[in-house]
Amino acid sequence: MKLVRYGDTGTEKPGLMDADGTLRDLSAHVADIAGDTLSDAGLDALRALDPASLPVVQGNPRIGPCVGNIGKFLCIGLNYSDHAAETGLAIPKHPILFFKANSAVVGPNDPVVKPRGSTQTDWEVELGVVIGTAAKYVSEEDALDHVAGYCIVNDVSERHFQTQLTGQWTKGKSCDTFGPTGPWLVTRDEVGDPQSLNMALDVNGKRMQTGKTNTMIFTVAQIISHLSQLMTLHPGDVISTGTPPGVGMGKKPHPVYLNTGDKMELWIDGLGQQTQIVFEDE
């Protein structure tokens, strides 16, 4: 299934994309794409519905973040060996973890706004993992059973804030609008193997990133298992699993960063597309 949240910011409604690509309303069946809806039982209940019986959503509404009421937004750094190489950093022995503030989360096609003082705003296409059932001390073998589904995340980053302001990476990762998420939450049964997905990102029509999830240093199962040894993962938590090479800070001979008016387009196999225009904060 492809689950969607649509409507104005803060008042999104739950929806489903049917096999023909028609957006249908789920409001009569669930309050949101969040919480218990993401459990195996909750998803099975939605699968039992006949999509043709659901009301068609009229017009062209805004598509919001595909998960409501996100609990934790966890991000994995340097999880592709070729991306680590382009940044000049060593391959990590364990998953590098940082957090993105939930206030950064926006819809997949909402504007990305450069914060005041930003000179190094960068792009990062990533596979997002949405937790469906609580995970604590889980094995790698059982880890994917705790996944509700997958989505696209653009881990937008301000590199000066991230690396030059004293503190953690979170400073450069949590600016408002720096977490476009969606368009759909695609359930794990429809995605299959999360380590076989192609991904790409263009800026102004020029291909910047091309990658495949089979080149991750730590697999999705390894990441979930590792994190679950440290904290309980709850339904609605989102894990952004790292980016392939081609980010702006790694461009040679000089880094390339986003400017006002630039257009980002992102794809991952089976998970849809995002498009964002960059604006300057007032």
Side-chain angles (χ1 to χ4, degrees):
M1 291 184 296
K2 294 181 175 69
L3 301 177
V4 184
R5 299 174 69 250
Y6 68 94
D8 294 338
T9 301
T11 60
E12 292 93 346
K13 296 180 179 180
L16 177 150
M17 297 294 293
D18 68 17
D20 296 326
T22 300
L23 177 58
R24 294 181 177 271
D25 181 52
L26 284 172
S27 297
H29 301 276
V30 293
D32 202 353
I33 308 301
D36 290 342
T37 300
L38 300 172
S39 69
D40 288 346
L43 295 176
D44 284 344
L46 295 182
R47 288 189 188 93
L49 299 174
D50 177 8
S53 70
L54 301 172
V56 173
V57 177
Q58 301 297 325
N60 186 30
R62 166 187 173 269
I63 302 299
C66 61
V67 185
N69 194 29
I70 293 173
K72 298 187 287 293
F73 203 121
L74 305 109
C75 301
I76 306 301
L78 301 178
N79 197 29
Y80 290 73
S81 57
D82 35 13
H83 172 55
E86 74 176 347
T87 62
L89 298 172
I91 292 175
K93 295 180 180 180
H94 307 283
I96 293 175
L97 173 65
F98 61 92
F99 286 80
K100 186 181 285 283
N102 291 3
S103 55
V105 177
V106 291
N109 305 314
D110 289 342
V112 165
V113 181
K114 292 173 60 179
R116 292 180 183 178
S118 171
T119 58
Q120 299 179 5
T121 298
D122 204 347
W123 55 84
E124 293 190 11
V125 59
E126 304 200 2
L127 173 66
V129 180
V130 180
I131 298 297
T133 57
K136 185 171 185 177
Y137 302 136
V138 301
S139 66
E140 291 179 23
E141 292 72 22
D142 295 334
L144 297 185
D145 294 339
H146 295 265
V147 174
Y150 302 90
C151 63
I152 303 173
V153 172
N154 189 354
D155 178 21
V156 184
S157 308
E158 213 299 336
R159 302 302 188 186
H160 179 79
F161 295 1
Q162 177 186 351
T163 64
Q164 301 302 313
L165 299 185
T166 303
Q168 303 295 318
W169 286 7
T170 298
K171 288 185 177 181
K173 299 286 190 171
S174 292
C175 304
D176 294 349
T177 75
F178 273 24
T181 302
W184 313 310
L185 187 163
V186 184
T187 52
R188 71 173 190 265
D189 59 305
E190 187 167 324
V191 172
D193 181 7
Q195 304 306 147
S196 64
L197 305 176
N198 295 298
M199 55 207 310
L201 182 146
D202 293 355
V203 177
N204 299 329
K206 181 179 179 180
R207 181 59 44 90
M208 294 297 186
Q209 289 187 274
T210 302
K212 191 167 185 177
T213 54
N214 65 359
T215 63
M216 284 182 180
I217 298 168
F218 304 104
T219 66
V220 172
Q222 289 172 325
I223 291 167
I224 292 171
S225 178
H226 177 74
L227 294 178
S228 78
Q229 312 306 311
L230 310 174
M231 67 192 80
T232 301
L233 303 176
H234 294 285
D237 287 352
V238 175
I239 306 169
S240 198
T241 56
T243 197
V247 298
M249 72 178 296
K251 296 299 183 186
K252 302 293 189 293
H254 304 291
V256 177
Y257 295 116
L258 292 166
N259 294 305
T260 300
D262 284 348
K263 180 180 181 180
M264 292 180 282
E265 297 173 281
L266 298 69
W267 301 265
I268 297 182
D269 284 347
L271 303 185
Q273 175 180 343
Q274 296 187 357
T275 301
Q276 298 111 28
I277 303 296
V278 178
F279 287 81
E280 199 86 26
D281 207 352
E282 297 178 355

